[in-house]
Amino acid sequence: MLVCNGVVGDSRVQKTARSAAAAGWEVTLLGRSPDGRSASWRIGGAEVRLLPVYTPLAQPPRTSRRPLLRRPLAYRPGTAAYRVQRVKAWRDELRTRRAELALGSPASGGSGVCAASAASPGSAATAAAVEPADRAATAASEARRAVAGRLAAPRTAAARLALPRAAARLAQRWVGFRKRQLDAGLRQRGSGPLDRAAAAFWRRALRERCWRVLWPSLYDFELAYGRVVDELRPDIIHANDFRMVGVGARAKIRAMAEGRPVKLVWDAHEFLPGVRPWTNDVRWLPAHVAHEREYVPYADAAVTVSRTAAALLRRSHGLAEDPAVVLNAPEAHTSAAGTPEDEAPSLRALCGIDAGTPLVVYSGAAAPQRGLATMVEALPGLPGVHTALVVGKPASGYVRELRARAAELGVADRLHVLPYVPYQQVVPFLAEADVGAIPLHHWPNHEIALITKFFEYAHARLPLVVSDVETMAATTLETGQGVVFRAEDTADYARAVRAILDEPQRYRAVYERPGLLEQWTWETQARTLDRIYSRLLQAAALERPEQHNQPEGDGNADLCGGTREDRAATGRPVRGQGTPRDGRGHRRTRGRERQRQSGAVPG
C-alpha cells in the first residue's frame, strides 16, 4: 500500500491496512516521513514504513529568480533575509555605541559619568584641607558638574551618531521596501499571464506527459518509493490518491517487464479536477490531472468514497464501469462509546466544561474552505454554546487567525482547539459533544463526498449541522439525522445549531433505526476490498508462466467474511496453508516470486 502522507492522520489508510492484514494478506504500507527520517511500526498485522522524500525538484530554477518584470526592485529569493538581518544588526550596533558614549566608556575617551568618577591622587587631600563651609560649596559644585556631565553625555553621543543613525534608518526602510516587493512577487508567482501561457502551451504540446515539465516534483516520490516497492516484489499494489497512482503504475510496468504480473488498485480519495490547488501556481492542477490521466489506465481496479464520485471518475477517465465504493466509515469495535482499543480522553474535560454545557464539535483538517470561520463568527449569536475544533495542526497559521478572531468577538473562552486523537478513539471522543458540524464551502469535491467525519459523527450518535453541499445535505435530510444550513451563512448556521439544541433527541433517535449504522461500518466496507484483492490475485495467477498446486488448508474462515472454500475458489490462499514457516518471507527456488504471509500464492 502506498500513501503520500505520514499515515498517522489518515484513518482510511490505517483501517485499510489493518483490515487487510486481519484478513490474511501480508501488508506493507509505505508512507512519507514528516521529518525526513525513516520510521516503522505495525498497525495490527500490517507493517508501516515511512520513507524520507527529498524534494529538490519542487524548487526549479524559476523559483530562485526574482520577479524582475513585475517587481524590478525586489530582492532575489534567498537574499532578502540576509539584507533584513544585516540592517537590523547595523541599527543595534548604533544603539549600543550611543550607550557607550553616554556612559563615557574607555572607547569614547573617558567622558561622562565614568570619567567624572575618576579622581586625581591629590583630590582627597585637597578636599580635606579646606574649611567645612568651603568643602560644602565644593561638593555642591562638583555635584552640579556631574549632573551637567550626565545630561550632556547623551546629547553629545546623539550628535556624534546622528548621521550614521539617519543612514541606518533610511537603509532599513529601503531594505524593507525591497523585501515587501519580493513577498508580493512571490505571492503572485505562478499565477501571472506568462505562467498561464506556459501551462497552456505544455498541456497542448505534451498532453498527459506535460506534468514532467509543469510539476517535475512528482518524480521525487518515484525516486523515494520506487526502489522500495521493487524490492518488496508485491502481488498487488494499492495506491492511495493521485500522487501514488503514478508510483504504483511505474512499479507495475517494471514488474511486467520482468515477467512478474502485478495488479494495481487505485483508491481515489477525491475527484482531482475539483480539488483546490495546494499551492498558488496555475501549473499545479493541470500537472496533477495529467499525471493521473497518464497512469489510471494501468489500474486493474478502482475504488472511491461515494457513488457520486464514482460516476464522475468513470466519465472523466472513460472507465468501463464505476469504481467500487468504499465509504470512510469507522470500525464497528470503536463505534460504541467506552469500548475503544485504548481509552479515549474526555472531550469535555479537555475543554474545561461540564456535561450540561452545550458543545458543538468539528473534527478534521483546518482550512478556509472547511468553513471553520462560520463556526467562530456564529459564537456571539449562540450565548452559552462552546465550540471545539479537533484539528491536525492546532498551531497552524489559519487556526491562530481563528483564535484571534474569537478574541476580537469576545468569545475566546468558548472556542477550544484540540489535537487529533488516534483514529480508534475518535468516535468515543466525539460522543461527548451535543452537535457535530460539517460547515463546508461549495467546492466540487465537497459536493460529491460523504467524508470521514460524517460517519464518525453518526457512530458517535451526534445530530449533524451540515452545509448545503449536495451529497451530505441530501443524505442528512433523507435520514433525518440533522439540519442543513446555507454554506458560509453565519446566521443560518446559528439557526441550525439552535434547532438541534432545542430537540436533540429527535435527531439522535434516527441512529436507533435498524441497519443504519451497521451499513456504515468499516467491516462492511472492507469486504469489498477483500473481494477485489482476491479477484486480482486470481487473475495474476492465470498470467504467471507456471502453475503450482496448493496444499490443503485447515478450513479457517476469512475474518472479513467467506469460507475457506470461497477463498480457494478464487485462487486466494487460506490462513494455515503453505509451508511449515507459514510462507513468511519465503521465495520460490527461481527467486522470482514471493509467497504471502498466509500461504503460497498460486503460481
Side-chain angles (χ1 to χ4, degrees), residues 501-583:
L501 294 178
D502 288 343
E503 298 181 273
Q505 290 308 315
R506 169 187 171 185
Y507 302 98
R508 290 183 183 271
V510 171
Y511 299 120
E512 305 303 324
R513 188 179 303 162
L516 178 63
L517 294 181
E518 286 75 6
Q519 65 178 325
W520 290 345
T521 62
W522 182 254
E523 285 75 6
T524 299
Q525 306 306 312
R527 295 189 185 100
T528 299
L529 286 173
D530 192 63
R531 288 191 293 269
I532 291 172
Y533 296 158
S534 298
R535 173 173 56 81
L536 295 180
L537 188 65
Q538 182 183 33
L542 297 175
E543 296 173 10
R544 290 190 173 92
E546 299 178 20
Q547 297 289 327
H548 294 270
N549 294 325
Q550 295 186 71
E552 292 295 328
D554 63 359
N556 288 349
D558 183 355
L559 290 182
C560 280
T563 62
R564 181 191 61 80
E565 290 76 17
D566 295 332
R567 293 162 66 88
T570 63
R572 168 96 179 272
V574 183
R575 187 175 287 110
Q577 292 180 342
T579 66
R581 292 173 57 200
D582 200 26

Side-chain angles (χ1 to χ4, degrees), residues 325-337:
V325 175
V326 177
L327 301 175
N328 289 330
E331 293 174 325
H333 71 278
T334 68
S335 298

